[in-house]
Amino acid sequence: MDQTAAIDVQSTKNAKRKRFAPYRKNISGYLFLVPAAVLFILFLWVPIIKGVIFSFYHIDFVKGDTFVGLDNYRTVFHDPEIGVAVKNTLYYMLLCLLIGFWVPVLFAIAISEIRRFQGLFRVAAYLPNVIPVVVLYGLWRWIYDPVGPINAFLGKLGADQILFMTDTRWSMISLVIMETWQQFGSAMLIYLAAVLSIPKDWYEAAEIDGAGIWARVRHITLPSIKGLIMLMLILQLIGTSQGYQSQLAMLDGGPLNATMTYGLKIVKYAFTRLDYGVASALGVLMFLVLGGLAVVQFRMTNREGN
Protein backbone atom coordinates (compact mmCIF):
# COMPACT_ATOMS: atom_id res chain seq x y z
CA MET A 1 0.00 0.00 0.00
CA ASP A 2 2.78 2.39 0.94
CA GLN A 3 4.57 1.71 -2.32
CA THR A 4 1.37 2.30 -4.34
CA ALA A 5 0.71 5.56 -2.49
CA ALA A 6 4.28 6.71 -3.15
CA ILE A 7 3.90 5.92 -6.84
CA ASP A 8 0.63 7.92 -6.95
CA VAL A 9 2.27 10.92 -5.23
CA GLN A 10 5.22 10.78 -7.63
CA SER A 11 2.84 10.58 -10.61
CA THR A 12 0.95 13.62 -9.33
CA LYS A 13 4.21 15.55 -8.95
CA ASN A 14 5.31 14.61 -12.47
CA ALA A 15 1.95 15.70 -13.88
CA LYS A 16 2.26 19.08 -12.13
CA ARG A 17 5.80 19.51 -13.42
CA LYS A 18 4.66 18.81 -16.97
CA ARG A 19 1.75 21.21 -16.59
CA PHE A 20 3.93 24.07 -15.35
CA ALA A 21 6.95 23.26 -17.54
CA PRO A 22 6.03 25.75 -20.32
CA TYR A 23 5.62 28.52 -17.72
CA ARG A 24 9.00 27.76 -16.13
CA LYS A 25 10.59 27.70 -19.58
CA ASN A 26 9.22 31.15 -20.43
CA ILE A 27 9.57 32.72 -16.97
CA SER A 28 12.08 35.30 -18.20
CA GLY A 29 9.63 36.45 -20.88
CA TYR A 30 6.84 36.83 -18.32
CA LEU A 31 9.13 38.90 -16.10
CA PHE A 32 9.69 41.31 -18.99
CA LEU A 33 5.91 41.68 -19.26
CA VAL A 34 5.49 42.65 -15.61
CA PRO A 35 6.42 46.39 -15.99
CA ALA A 36 4.06 46.79 -18.95
CA ALA A 37 1.28 44.97 -17.07
CA VAL A 38 1.80 47.15 -13.99
CA LEU A 39 1.64 50.35 -16.07
CA PHE A 40 -1.41 49.03 -17.93
CA ILE A 41 -3.26 48.34 -14.68
CA LEU A 42 -2.07 51.51 -12.95
CA PHE A 43 -2.87 53.99 -15.72
CA LEU A 44 -5.84 52.28 -17.39
CA TRP A 45 -7.85 49.99 -15.16
CA VAL A 46 -7.32 51.84 -11.88
CA PRO A 47 -8.69 55.12 -13.37
CA ILE A 48 -11.61 53.19 -14.90
CA ILE A 49 -12.51 51.60 -11.57
CA LYS A 50 -12.08 54.92 -9.74
CA GLY A 51 -14.26 56.62 -12.36
CA VAL A 52 -17.04 54.11 -11.71
CA ILE A 53 -16.71 54.70 -7.95
CA PHE A 54 -16.59 58.50 -8.30
CA SER A 55 -19.78 58.44 -10.38
CA PHE A 56 -21.66 57.63 -7.13
CA TYR A 57 -20.03 60.44 -5.11
CA HIS A 58 -19.98 64.20 -4.94
CA ILE A 59 -16.26 64.90 -5.19
CA ASP A 60 -14.94 67.64 -2.92
CA PHE A 61 -11.18 67.82 -2.41
CA VAL A 62 -11.59 70.15 0.60
CA LYS A 63 -14.53 68.79 2.60
CA GLY A 64 -14.22 65.22 1.42
CA ASP A 65 -16.29 63.03 -0.86
CA THR A 66 -19.99 62.45 -0.17
CA PHE A 67 -21.91 59.40 -1.34
CA VAL A 68 -24.90 60.53 -3.43
CA GLY A 69 -25.99 57.24 -5.02
CA LEU A 70 -27.55 57.75 -8.44
CA ASP A 71 -27.88 61.54 -8.15
CA ASN A 72 -25.07 62.12 -10.65
CA TYR A 73 -26.82 59.92 -13.20
CA ARG A 74 -30.10 61.77 -12.57
CA THR A 75 -28.28 65.03 -13.24
CA VAL A 76 -27.02 63.60 -16.52
CA PHE A 77 -30.45 62.51 -17.70
CA HIS A 78 -32.10 65.80 -16.63
CA ASP A 79 -29.52 68.06 -18.28
CA PRO A 80 -31.08 69.32 -21.55
CA GLU A 81 -27.64 69.98 -23.04
CA ILE A 82 -26.74 66.28 -22.80
CA GLY A 83 -29.30 65.47 -25.49
CA VAL A 84 -27.81 68.21 -27.67
CA ALA A 85 -24.31 66.83 -27.04
CA VAL A 86 -25.38 63.29 -27.99
CA LYS A 87 -27.07 64.59 -31.14
CA ASN A 88 -23.98 66.63 -32.08
CA THR A 89 -21.73 63.62 -31.44
CA LEU A 90 -23.82 61.40 -33.70
CA TYR A 91 -23.81 64.13 -36.35
CA TYR A 92 -20.04 64.47 -36.01
CA MET A 93 -19.59 60.70 -36.35
CA LEU A 94 -21.82 60.67 -39.44
CA LEU A 95 -19.88 63.52 -41.07
CA CYS A 96 -16.57 61.81 -40.33
CA LEU A 97 -17.97 58.66 -41.93
CA LEU A 98 -19.31 60.40 -45.05
CA ILE A 99 -16.47 62.90 -45.55
CA GLY A 100 -13.40 61.38 -43.98
CA PHE A 101 -13.70 57.60 -43.89
CA TRP A 102 -13.32 56.96 -47.61
CA VAL A 103 -10.56 59.50 -48.23
CA PRO A 104 -7.67 57.27 -47.03
CA VAL A 105 -9.12 54.29 -48.94
CA LEU A 106 -9.26 56.26 -52.18
CA PHE A 107 -5.78 57.72 -51.71
CA ALA A 108 -4.32 54.29 -50.90
CA ILE A 109 -5.82 52.78 -54.06
CA ALA A 110 -4.73 55.75 -56.16
CA ILE A 111 -1.14 55.67 -54.86
CA SER A 112 -0.94 51.90 -55.34
CA GLU A 113 -1.76 52.43 -59.03
CA ILE A 114 1.04 54.98 -59.46
CA ARG A 115 4.08 53.49 -61.15
CA ARG A 116 6.57 56.33 -60.51
CA PHE A 117 7.30 58.56 -57.48
CA GLN A 118 5.10 56.42 -55.24
CA GLY A 119 7.29 57.12 -52.22
CA LEU A 120 6.99 60.87 -52.76
CA PHE A 121 3.21 60.67 -52.76
CA ARG A 122 3.24 58.57 -49.59
CA VAL A 123 5.30 61.19 -47.75
CA ALA A 124 3.19 64.05 -49.11
CA ALA A 125 -0.03 62.38 -47.95
CA TYR A 126 1.36 61.74 -44.47
CA LEU A 127 2.92 65.19 -43.90
CA PRO A 128 -0.26 66.88 -42.53
CA ASN A 129 -0.29 64.26 -39.77
CA VAL A 130 2.95 65.58 -38.28
CA ILE A 131 1.87 69.22 -38.08
CA PRO A 132 1.56 70.33 -34.40
CA VAL A 133 -2.06 70.96 -33.46
CA VAL A 134 -1.32 74.54 -32.36
CA VAL A 135 -0.03 75.34 -35.85
CA LEU A 136 -2.86 73.35 -37.42
CA TYR A 137 -5.61 75.26 -35.62
CA GLY A 138 -4.00 78.61 -36.38
CA LEU A 139 -3.65 77.67 -40.06
CA TRP A 140 -7.26 76.61 -40.45
CA ARG A 141 -8.59 79.59 -38.54
CA TRP A 142 -6.89 81.72 -41.18
CA ILE A 143 -8.23 79.53 -44.00
CA TYR A 144 -11.79 79.75 -42.63
CA ASP A 145 -11.60 83.47 -41.79
CA PRO A 146 -14.19 85.73 -43.47
CA VAL A 147 -11.27 87.42 -45.28
CA GLY A 148 -9.28 84.18 -45.65
CA PRO A 149 -8.28 82.48 -48.91
CA ILE A 150 -11.50 80.46 -49.35
CA ASN A 151 -13.81 83.46 -48.99
CA ALA A 152 -11.44 85.57 -51.08
CA PHE A 153 -11.71 82.98 -53.86
CA LEU A 154 -15.49 82.85 -53.52
CA GLY A 155 -15.60 86.63 -53.72
CA LYS A 156 -13.73 86.58 -57.03
CA LEU A 157 -16.31 84.13 -58.35
CA GLY A 158 -19.10 86.43 -57.20
CA ALA A 159 -20.37 83.90 -54.61
CA ASP A 160 -21.59 84.74 -51.13
CA GLN A 161 -19.25 84.66 -48.18
CA ILE A 162 -19.33 81.52 -45.98
CA LEU A 163 -19.00 82.01 -42.23
CA PHE A 164 -17.33 78.70 -41.44
CA MET A 165 -16.75 79.39 -37.74
CA THR A 166 -19.91 81.31 -36.81
CA ASP A 167 -22.60 79.66 -38.93
CA THR A 168 -24.17 76.67 -37.16
CA ARG A 169 -24.72 74.96 -40.51
CA TRP A 170 -21.02 75.02 -41.38
CA SER A 171 -19.16 74.86 -38.06
CA MET A 172 -19.14 71.06 -37.58
CA ILE A 173 -18.54 70.40 -41.28
CA SER A 174 -15.54 72.76 -41.17
CA LEU A 175 -14.01 70.86 -38.24
CA VAL A 176 -14.49 67.51 -39.97
CA ILE A 177 -12.83 68.77 -43.16
CA MET A 178 -9.88 70.07 -41.13
CA GLU A 179 -9.45 66.81 -39.21
CA THR A 180 -9.79 64.72 -42.37
CA TRP A 181 -7.01 66.72 -44.03
CA GLN A 182 -4.75 66.27 -41.02
CA GLN A 183 -5.38 62.64 -40.09
CA PHE A 184 -6.10 60.68 -43.26
CA GLY A 185 -2.38 60.03 -43.88
CA SER A 186 -1.93 57.47 -41.09
CA ALA A 187 -5.01 55.46 -42.11
CA MET A 188 -3.93 55.73 -45.74
CA LEU A 189 -0.62 54.01 -44.97
CA ILE A 190 -2.48 51.13 -43.30
CA TYR A 191 -4.76 50.70 -46.30
CA LEU A 192 -1.82 51.04 -48.68
CA ALA A 193 0.06 48.24 -46.91
CA ALA A 194 -3.01 46.04 -47.27
CA VAL A 195 -3.45 46.89 -50.96
CA LEU A 196 0.22 46.26 -51.75
CA SER A 197 0.01 42.86 -50.03
CA ILE A 198 -2.55 41.65 -52.59
CA PRO A 199 -0.83 39.23 -55.01
CA LYS A 200 0.18 41.00 -58.22
CA ASP A 201 -0.72 37.88 -60.20
CA TRP A 202 -4.39 38.67 -59.66
CA TYR A 203 -4.03 42.11 -61.23
CA GLU A 204 -1.94 40.76 -64.09
CA ALA A 205 -4.52 38.10 -64.85
CA ALA A 206 -7.27 40.72 -64.74
CA GLU A 207 -5.34 42.98 -67.12
CA ILE A 208 -4.83 40.08 -69.55
CA ASP A 209 -8.60 39.50 -69.46
CA GLY A 210 -9.10 43.16 -70.38
CA ALA A 211 -10.19 44.50 -66.98
CA GLY A 212 -9.73 48.24 -66.54
CA ILE A 213 -8.70 50.05 -63.38
CA TRP A 214 -12.26 50.38 -62.07
CA ALA A 215 -12.96 46.68 -62.65
CA ARG A 216 -9.73 45.73 -60.83
CA VAL A 217 -10.60 47.95 -57.89
CA ARG A 218 -14.16 46.68 -57.69
CA HIS A 219 -13.49 42.96 -58.09
CA ILE A 220 -10.00 42.58 -56.58
CA THR A 221 -8.90 45.47 -54.36
CA LEU A 222 -12.06 46.23 -52.38
CA PRO A 223 -13.02 42.57 -51.69
CA SER A 224 -9.45 41.85 -50.57
CA ILE A 225 -9.40 44.66 -47.99
CA LYS A 226 -13.04 44.35 -46.91
CA GLY A 227 -12.09 42.97 -43.49
CA LEU A 228 -9.67 45.84 -42.86
CA ILE A 229 -12.27 48.38 -43.96
CA MET A 230 -14.78 47.00 -41.45
CA LEU A 231 -12.18 46.98 -38.68
CA MET A 232 -11.17 50.58 -39.43
CA LEU A 233 -14.84 51.55 -39.49
CA ILE A 234 -15.35 50.26 -35.93
CA LEU A 235 -12.15 51.98 -34.77
CA GLN A 236 -13.24 55.25 -36.35
CA LEU A 237 -16.66 55.07 -34.71
CA ILE A 238 -14.99 54.53 -31.34
CA GLY A 239 -12.48 57.33 -31.94
CA THR A 240 -14.94 59.93 -33.25
CA SER A 241 -17.43 59.21 -30.45
CA GLN A 242 -14.79 60.57 -28.06
CA GLY A 243 -13.93 63.63 -30.14
CA TYR A 244 -13.66 66.95 -28.34
CA GLN A 245 -10.21 68.45 -28.96
CA SER A 246 -10.88 70.44 -32.13
CA GLN A 247 -14.35 71.42 -30.88
CA LEU A 248 -12.79 72.82 -27.72
CA ALA A 249 -9.75 74.50 -29.29
CA MET A 250 -11.46 76.00 -32.33
CA LEU A 251 -14.96 76.92 -31.15
CA ASP A 252 -15.32 75.91 -27.47
CA GLY A 253 -18.54 74.11 -28.34
CA GLY A 254 -20.05 77.04 -30.24
CA PRO A 255 -21.66 78.64 -32.04
CA LEU A 256 -24.84 78.13 -30.01
CA ASN A 257 -23.64 74.67 -28.85
CA ALA A 258 -23.48 73.49 -32.48
CA THR A 259 -20.15 71.73 -31.82
CA MET A 260 -20.78 70.70 -28.20
CA THR A 261 -19.98 66.98 -28.35
CA TYR A 262 -20.42 64.40 -25.60
CA GLY A 263 -16.67 64.26 -24.92
CA LEU A 264 -16.51 68.06 -24.67
CA LYS A 265 -19.45 68.00 -22.26
CA ILE A 266 -17.47 65.68 -19.98
CA VAL A 267 -14.54 68.11 -20.10
CA LYS A 268 -16.85 71.03 -19.30
CA TYR A 269 -18.33 69.26 -16.28
CA ALA A 270 -14.93 68.19 -14.99
CA PHE A 271 -12.73 71.25 -15.58
CA THR A 272 -15.17 74.16 -15.89
CA ARG A 273 -17.89 73.26 -13.39
CA LEU A 274 -15.47 71.13 -11.31
CA ASP A 275 -18.25 68.56 -10.90
CA TYR A 276 -16.17 65.41 -11.14
CA GLY A 277 -18.99 63.13 -10.01
CA VAL A 278 -21.27 64.01 -12.94
CA ALA A 279 -18.28 63.94 -15.30
CA SER A 280 -17.48 60.43 -14.06
CA ALA A 281 -21.10 59.37 -14.61
CA LEU A 282 -20.92 60.65 -18.17
CA GLY A 283 -17.67 58.76 -18.64
CA VAL A 284 -19.18 55.52 -17.31
CA LEU A 285 -22.09 55.76 -19.75
CA MET A 286 -19.67 56.36 -22.61
CA PHE A 287 -17.54 53.43 -21.43
CA LEU A 288 -20.54 51.11 -21.61
CA VAL A 289 -21.40 52.20 -25.15
CA LEU A 290 -17.80 51.98 -26.37
CA GLY A 291 -17.45 48.62 -24.63
CA GLY A 292 -20.31 47.37 -26.79
CA LEU A 293 -18.56 48.63 -29.92
CA ALA A 294 -15.34 46.94 -28.78
CA VAL A 295 -17.19 43.63 -28.41
CA VAL A 296 -18.48 44.02 -31.97
CA GLN A 297 -14.93 44.73 -33.16
CA PHE A 298 -13.50 41.64 -31.44
CA ARG A 299 -16.21 39.41 -32.85
CA MET A 300 -15.60 40.74 -36.35
CA THR A 301 -11.84 40.25 -35.95
CA ASN A 302 -12.30 36.66 -34.75
CA ARG A 303 -14.70 35.96 -37.61
CA GLU A 304 -12.14 37.22 -40.14
CA GLY A 305 -9.44 35.14 -38.46
CA ASN A 306 -11.51 31.98 -38.74
Side-chain angles (χ1 to χ4, degrees), residues 39-93:
L39 292 176
F40 184 78
I41 294 172
L42 186 62
F43 292 103
L44 182 65
W45 282 105
V46 169
I48 289 175
I49 295 172
K50 283 190 174 182
V52 174
I53 296 173
F54 287 168
S55 68
F56 298 102
Y57 283 82
H58 172 69
I59 308 300
D60 191 324
F61 295 113
V62 178
K63 299 179 181 180
D65 303 339
T66 305
F67 181 78
V68 295
L70 297 175
D71 284 354
N72 291 327
Y73 291 93
R74 294 191 187 97
T75 301
V76 169
F77 289 112
H78 285 87
D79 187 344
E81 290 188 357
I82 297 298
V84 176
V86 172
K87 180 181 176 182
N88 289 338
T89 302
L90 294 174
Y91 180 53
Y92 173 67
M93 294 168 66

Side-chain angles (χ1 to χ4, degrees), residues 89-132:
T89 302
L90 294 174
Y91 180 53
Y92 173 67
M93 294 168 66
L94 178 63
L95 287 177
C96 289
L97 180 62
L98 296 177
I99 297 175
F101 181 72
W102 295 104
V103 171
V105 180
L106 296 176
F107 267 79
I109 294 174
I111 292 177
S112 68
E113 293 289 335
I114 295 175
R115 298 291 182 257
R116 300 179 62 186
F117 306 110
Q118 191 178 104
L120 177 63
F121 284 103
R122 292 187 199 180
V123 174
Y126 188 75
L127 275 179
N129 203 267
V130 302
I131 296 177

Side-chain angles (χ1 to χ4, degrees), residues 4 10-11 18 23 25 33 54 76 78 81 90 107 113 140 152 166-167 171 173 177-178 203 210 225 227 233 269 273:
T4 303
Q10 187 63 33
S11 299
K18 290 181 180 180
Y23 299 101
K25 181 180 180 181
L33 289 176
F54 287 168
V76 169
H78 285 87
E81 290 188 357
L90 294 174
F107 267 79
E113 293 289 335
W140 281 89
T166 56
D167 191 336
S171 54
I173 297 174
I177 292 174
M178 176 193 70
Y203 291 103
I225 63 173
L233 172 63
Y269 263 109
R273 302 186 186 185

Side-chain angles (χ1 to χ4, degrees), residues 251-289:
L251 296 168
D252 196 28
L256 301 177
N257 285 337
T259 58
M260 178 65 70
T261 58
Y262 191 88
L264 181 55
K265 194 65 182 174
I266 295 176
V267 173
K268 291 285 186 180
Y269 263 109
F271 302 109
T272 302
R273 302 186 186 185
L274 300 180
D275 195 337
Y276 300 104
V278 176
S280 298
L282 286 167
V284 169
L285 294 175
M286 175 179 279
F287 175 76
L288 294 176
V289 174

